[in-house]
Structure formats: structure tokens, C-alpha cells
Amino acid sequence: MDISAAIVGTGLMGVAHTNALRENGVNIGGVMGSSEEKSKKFAVDYNLPKIYQSFDDILADPEIDVIHLTTPNYLHYTHAKAALLAGKHVVCEKPLTMTADESRELFFLAMQKKLLTAVNFNVRMYPMVQKAREMVLNREIGLPHLIHGFYLQDWLLYPSDWNWRINPDIGGNLRTVGDIGSHWIDLVSYISGLKVREVFADMKIFHQTRIPNAEGKKNEINVQTEDYATVLFRFEQDVPGVMTVSQMCAGHKNEIAFEINASQSSLRWNGACVDELWVGHRNKPNQKLQQKEIRDGDGEKDENAAFPETFNELYRRVYSYLAQGNFALEPNFPTFKDGHYGMLVLEAIEKSFNEKSWVKVNLDDLNLD
């Protein structure tokens, strides 16, 4: 594929993006990490031809068409804006920005510049998620009555656990909701075709202080971002919903799940069993639809094996769209418009918790086009 990309960020997502681009035959022109040492190591590990000393060097490189931003959240807005102004297409990790004002500006700028944008809501790309969307939009289960589910992890269970996402200056005011709740909100909105109109949020910090592992007592850090949230939703068509998210649930490594109860049937999918979609019925036996795969023999893929393939499929769609060159076509992947929608919902959730009231999501703000 005669398109070249640059990777910004050398962490877990930098690796995921790099591997997916390689799977799709996209040339990776170079990488920039948070330090020259990290850049060099990444370039050696993934056989990349170039490291960049600064983001301006990437912008000035005429061979780079697309910039993949896999950096901490506080850098997304600055880097994405600069890339768009320089005429580069942008793929960004989620959440798109730190505030809805920032995401609004990026959404509008991308439309003005007529550039491709994408946000890494890769969970959409599981085959059984695609099947669920098809069934809902084709009214195979009737009209939705209720949407509910959770996203649970356990990697921040102990007070010694630490990550940059906990720091609001780097990760944003909403940590758990922003990091994993953003995936759940995008997922159910995508499957149902319904956007969130109104929210009511409850949140809690379980560890008011954390002492990062191997650090002394004097380095105890006050925590300002939530360890848990439950959010009530009102979707379009007055469909109610509820989401629970936490990164302190022992035994849940990375488990996202949703259920949609509709007028004829129900659908349930759990990321712990990615190739299975449960269909519940009133007057006949329930079903388990399964995505059969061959992996070293007959069997189903587990979540860890299937996860990288969601990136492969997402970037297959992104780069196929870019290659065909007709931006008037509706993208079949999440764009900055979806990223801005997510930030509008996050903004409403934060306001709801602070005000202890229902707060409307400003969906009119998506009509900039």
C-alpha cells in the first residue's frame, strides 16, 4: 500500500497500532517516543527505518501521510490539531481529547481540511459485535427497551498500583469512565444506533491515596479521579440504560459486556467470550450464535487471541477508505465525530456527578456539518 504512517508513542497501544499496520501492508516510516532511548528501542524492535526527534519533524516529513497518536490523553489535542493543520490524516487513541471544547475544534477542523480521521474504538470490530449491530438495526429483535452492561478490570485494585491515567493533568478529570467507559458508550451507541441524550452519574474513589509500588511513604499521592462509576442513561427514543465501570474488580482482567432487551428478543455479548452472542427469546429456546474459527485446529478464539484482530480490521477499513479516496462516502469506522460525541457524553457525566442531577448531552453539537 503506497501510504506511509508514523507512530507517536511506544507503549502498549503503539505496539498494537504497529502490528495492525504491518498486517495490512501499510508502510511505517518512523516512530517518536517520549525519549530518544525509547524511540531507538522501538525502532530496533519493530525494524523501523527512522526515529523522530520532535513532533515537528514528523509534520515536516513529506513521506508521512498518516499520524497515529498513541500518547497520553493530554497530548491528543495539541498533536492532532498540529497534524491536521499540516495536512496529515490522523488516527488517535481514545478518549479523543481532555475536553469537549477540544474535541469540537478537532472535529470541525478535520471537516474543513477534508482529512481522514479515526478514533481507536476497536471493540466495534469483533465479528459478533458486528452481528449484534446487524440484528438490532434490521429489527430482528424488535425495538430496544433497555440497554445495560459493564466494563470491569482489576489492574488498579491495590493502593500500590499506579499509572499516568490516575493523574488528571495527564489523563483527564474522568479516569475510569474516560479510559474504559468511553469504549462501552461507543459500543452500545454503535450497536443500537441510538445516542445518549441524558445522564445521571454516581462515582467513588476507593483509594483516596496511593503509594506507587517500590516508592516510600513520603511519596503517597492523593487520588482525584474515580475508581468506579455507575451511570444511568436516557438514549434516543427514550430508551433507558445503565453502565457500571471499575478498574478495581478482582478477577476481571478486561471484561466488557452489554445486553440489549428489546420487544421481541434480547442480545448479550461478553468480551470474555468474544465469539459468542446470546439471543434470548420468550416463546422458544434461547440461542448461542457462535463465530467458528480455525486456530491450530478446531476451536474458538479466546479474548487475548482475538483482541489484536480488532485492530487489524479497524485499520483495514481505515486504509481501504483512504486508498479509494472518496471522502464523500460514509466511513465504516469511528471518526473524530464519534470521538467528539464520546467527549460530549463524558462532559455530561462529569457535570451530572458534580451537580447530583440529570444532565442533557448536547447532541446538537454534532451537527457542525
Side-chain angles (χ1 to χ4, degrees), residues 236-305:
E236 293 172 318
Q237 300 177 15
D238 203 33
V239 175
V242 61
M243 169 192 78
T244 295
V245 291
S246 179
Q247 294 166 320
M248 292 182 57
C249 297
H252 295 272
K253 301 309 174 189
N254 188 40
E255 188 174 1
I256 183 172
F258 71 84
E259 183 164 331
I260 300 176
N261 308 113
S263 57
Q264 297 176 20
S265 304
S266 298
L267 287 181
R268 182 173 67 231
W269 178 82
N270 189 311
C273 189
V274 296
D275 285 336
E276 184 174 285
L277 181 64
W278 178 85
V279 186
H281 301 290
R282 167 75 181 270
N283 295 319
K284 62 180 181 180
N286 297 335
Q287 298 171 273
K288 287 185 178 179
L289 306 181
Q290 294 184 326
Q291 176 78 22
K292 297 298 184 182
E293 297 285 347
I294 304 298
R295 298 181 70 81
D296 299 322
D298 295 334
E300 295 179 1
K301 294 180 290 184
D302 63 21
E303 193 275 339
N304 289 331

Side-chain angles (χ1 to χ4, degrees), residues 177-330:
V177 174
D179 187 24
I180 57 179
S182 59
H183 267 303
W184 193 92
I185 293 163
D186 177 79
L187 182 65
V188 299
S189 297
Y190 173 69
I191 292 168
S192 68
L194 302 174
K195 288 185 167 54
V196 176
R197 290 194 300 105
E198 199 171 7
V199 301
F200 189 96
D202 177 55
M203 293 188 277
K204 186 178 178 69
I205 299 172
F206 296 123
H207 294 314
Q208 298 294 326
T209 60
R210 288 178 179 264
I211 307 172
N213 191 34
E215 298 289 341
K217 180 74 173 178
K218 63 182 180 180
N219 291 320
E220 184 176 74
I221 300 173
N222 291 325
V223 175
Q224 303 173 54
T225 55
E226 81 286 356
D227 292 311
Y228 144 90
T230 288
V231 184
L232 298 177
F233 297 109
R234 290 286 177 182
F235 290 88
E236 293 172 318
Q237 300 177 15
D238 203 33
V239 175
V242 61
M243 169 192 78
T244 295
V245 291
S246 179
Q247 294 166 320
M248 292 182 57
C249 297
H252 295 272
K253 301 309 174 189
N254 188 40
E255 188 174 1
I256 183 172
F258 71 84
E259 183 164 331
I260 300 176
N261 308 113
S263 57
Q264 297 176 20
S265 304
S266 298
L267 287 181
R268 182 173 67 231
W269 178 82
N270 189 311
C273 189
V274 296
D275 285 336
E276 184 174 285
L277 181 64
W278 178 85
V279 186
H281 301 290
R282 167 75 181 270
N283 295 319
K284 62 180 181 180
N286 297 335
Q287 298 171 273
K288 287 185 178 179
L289 306 181
Q290 294 184 326
Q291 176 78 22
K292 297 298 184 182
E293 297 285 347
I294 304 298
R295 298 181 70 81
D296 299 322
D298 295 334
E300 295 179 1
K301 294 180 290 184
D302 63 21
E303 193 275 339
N304 289 331
F307 182 71
E309 295 183 11
T310 63
F311 289 84
N312 297 348
E313 174 61 17
L314 175 57
Y315 296 128
R316 183 192 68 78
R317 295 184 180 201
V318 168
Y319 281 86
S320 294
Y321 185 88
L322 184 57
Q324 58 82 29
N326 182 3
F327 287 10
L329 295 176
E330 185 71 20

